[in-house]
Amino acid sequence: MDYLCQPARDIRGSLRVPGDKSISHRAVMFAAIADGSSRVTGFLPGEDCLATLRAFAAMGVPVERLGDTELRIDGVGMHGLRAPAQPLDLGNSGTSMRLLAGLLAPQAFEVTLTGDASLTRRPMRRVTEPLTRMGADIGTSADGTAPLQLHAPKAPLRAIDYRSPVASAQVKSAVLLAGLYAEGRTSVHEPHTSRDHSERMLRAFGVEVESGDGFAALEGGQTLRAADVEVPADISSAAFFLVAAAITPGAELTLEAVGLNPTRTGVIDILRSMGADLTVHDERTLGGEPVGDITVRGGRLHAAEIAGEVVSRAIDEFPAIFVAAACATGETVIRDAAELRVKESDRIRTMVDGLRALGVSAIAEPDGARILGGRIHGGVVDACGDHRVAMSLAMASLRAEQPIRIRDCANVQTSFPGFREAACGVGLDLRVLQAGGPDA
Ligand code: S3P
């Protein structure tokens, strides 16, 4: 599926983007192993979270869809999951695979975790290595990728004090979830604090979790108590529109009820450092997470140097930030972002190639890129099946001189169902074309 984006010149109004992906996954996982019935509202019905939901249904967890974004999950308790009849297919979802590796490694049954071509290329040793040190028995391919074969461990897992070489919430969460089943105290240290949704939500489910700067720990043997979870709008989905309004002189757009967890707000800091006019208002708390409305007024951006701890607080927003850089005056330099190479695509390569195809001068570096802001011509670009690359490149149509055709966009469904309607509702001109169809 391709997008055809005609140049648009204004973006205006207000919008509530769908629920947070990270929080939606965790709500399903934690509710599934809790005692009692939990209700989730604002759930993201994107393919990634639906893969998590299907995985738990296949392991015997009663899940009821009360509406598109509302679920009731009858938890089966810490030891109530059952062996699924088939391998669990987690599609495109790295969060499902890595967190489930931690949660399922201690279980007394065998299970295989697999996924699509992108997911089965992504590095899994970052979770299998600490889990193996805890006593888990996990098979991978020779190069450490999925499918993952999880065998029942011969003895209960051992607690671990793990120093992760990468700031990764998926690694931290996998180790903590396995640690719930281990004897003793499991702790994780990381170079920067990654998103802390697991720590917050485990507390909401009654688990005692210690956490601080780059650190989280819990005692094994604790159980989860059912809780209701209200999911805020996903700042990672809002980010496309923050950039869209920021690069469009005269634009004014409000994003409603956006999750503002401080481990996720790097995109706001980065856009402000580029001169964007962003106002956060009506700050409140939703389900243990800070949220607020964000109003953006478009204007002129200037280049920035982006490096250090802000990178992990904006890691999923870089495709959109690349587009902001392409519209800014001067050369933006991005460093310390090698993690972008192992996301749903190699996002340094896909974004640099995409911007260059549109006439922007951009150079890939091993851990980032240099992007010289300037004119955006238009043309044909390839999203390489990466949802965030597709949506980011669509935003470039606000400054493009010619139409932009974006190939391979079907995976937008993984994180942002209704993206086209949302984008057109605030002023973009975006049509869906079937690849190879009459419009091709
Ligand atoms: C996620 C963590 C991040 C992020 C991903 C979702 C999560 O990955 O990129 O989209 O929900 O835990 P890492 O933990 O690998 O940095």
Side-chain angles (χ1 to χ4, degrees):
M1 189 257 265
D2 295 1
Y3 285 147
L4 180 64
C5 312
Q6 298 292 340
R9 287 293 171 260
D10 195 21
I11 178 155
R12 191 159 296 283
S14 61
L15 180 63
R16 179 171 176 150
V17 298
D20 187 278
K21 185 152 72 73
S22 294
I23 297 176
S24 295
H25 280 299
R26 287 162 173 79
V28 172
M29 293 180 189
F30 299 173
I33 57 163
D35 293 319
S37 180
S38 301
R39 187 181 279 253
V40 185
T41 48
F43 175 74
L44 168 65
E47 279 306 316
D48 279 11
C49 299
L50 294 175
T52 291
L53 204 56
R54 282 193 288 267
F56 282 95
M59 291 187 286
V61 177
V63 174
E64 197 184 341
R65 293 283 295 268
L66 302 172
D68 205 26
T69 63
E70 198 170 335
L71 309 172
R72 203 187 72 205
I73 298 172
D74 293 326
V76 296
M78 295 295 287
H79 299 281
L81 296 174
R82 290 203 310 263
Q86 315 270 340
L88 298 177
D89 184 350
L90 304 168
N92 196 242
S93 177
T95 307
S96 309
M97 183 164 291
R98 296 204 180 104
L99 270 60
L100 281 180
L103 179 58
L104 299 183
Q107 307 292 335
F109 54 78
E110 303 230 353
V111 49
T112 298
L113 308 181
T114 189
D116 69 8
S118 154
L119 185 55
T120 52
R121 272 197 302 266
R122 295 180 66 186
M124 291 297 148
R125 280 202 186 109
R126 53 179 60 198
V127 288
T128 59
E129 198 264 328
L131 294 172
T132 305
R133 279 167 54 185
M134 297 175 81
D137 180 356
I138 307 177
T140 66
S141 74
D143 55 359
T145 53
L148 304 183
Q149 272 104 29
L150 276 55
H151 306 284
K154 299 200 178 34
L157 296 193
R158 299 178 289 277
I160 189 178
D161 178 22
Y162 186 60
R163 282 174 200 279
S164 173
V166 284
S168 163
Q170 295 178 352
V171 172
K172 173 176 62 178
S173 304
V175 173
L176 291 177
L177 287 171
L180 277 176
Y181 290 85
E183 242 175 63
R185 181 170 184 271
T186 291
S187 52
V188 182
H189 301 262
E190 45 184 3
H192 301 290
T193 310
S194 63
R195 62 192 66 191
D196 67 351
H197 304 301
S198 294
E199 297 90 306
R200 286 171 187 256
M201 202 186 295
L202 282 170
R203 287 190 191 110
F205 278 80
V207 175
E208 276 182 36
V209 185
E210 233 189 286
S211 61
D213 208 9
F215 158 78
L218 51 72
E219 280 292 329
Q222 302 188 64
T223 55
L224 280 70
R225 225 178 23 240
D228 291 343
V229 181
E230 277 183 88
V231 182
D234 197 328
I235 190 167
S236 298
S237 298
F240 309 113
F241 294 97
L242 298 180
V243 167
I247 63 174
T248 306
E252 180 169 335
L253 187 69
T254 296
L255 280 304
E256 296 164 0
V258 180
L260 294 173
N261 181 312
T263 61
R264 298 281 301 278
T265 48
V267 65
I268 296 178
D269 300 343
I270 291 168
L271 288 175
R272 281 185 173 148
S273 77
M274 299 175 80
D277 177 358
L278 271 74
T279 313
V280 175
H281 48 103
D282 292 321
E283 287 182 68
R284 53 207 186 265
T285 304
L286 201 65
E289 295 274 350
V291 302
D293 297 349
I294 309 175
T295 297
V296 196
R297 290 182 187 84
R300 300 263 163 229
L301 299 183
H302 52 77
E305 293 224 355
I306 305 168
E309 72 74 53
V310 75
V311 169
S312 60
R313 294 194 303 112
I315 194 67
D316 290 342
E317 289 64 75
F318 274 93
I321 292 164
F322 274 57
V323 171
C327 300
T329 309
E331 186 184 60
T332 292
V333 181
I334 299 169
R335 284 184 280 114
D336 302 329
E339 275 293 296
L340 295 177
R341 297 227 176 250
V342 291
K343 294 295 179 187
E344 286 82 329
S345 70
D346 173 345
R347 287 182 174 160
I348 294 177
R349 187 181 60 73
T350 44
M351 283 309 300
V352 164
D353 288 354
L355 291 179
R356 288 166 79 129
L358 298 178
V360 176
S361 166
I363 299 168
E365 305 279 4
D367 69 341
R370 295 175 175 275
I371 301 154
L372 186 62
R375 286 170 55 195
I376 297 180
H377 301 319
V380 180
V381 295
D382 193 345
C384 297
D386 186 322
H387 55 135
R388 299 202 197 281
V389 170
M391 291 184 275
S392 298
L393 291 170
M395 299 304 156
S397 62
L398 286 153
R399 290 282 287 268
E401 292 158 6
Q402 300 292 325
I404 300 175
R405 180 167 183 153
I406 311 169
R407 297 204 185 280
D408 201 359
C409 294
N411 276 339
V412 165
Q413 285 303 324
T414 61
S415 69
F416 201 146
F419 171 70
R420 195 193 74 81
E421 295 75 6
C424 293
V426 292
L428 279 99
D429 182 344
L430 196 159
R431 273 197 298 151
V432 168
L433 306 178
Q434 295 311 317
D439 284 307

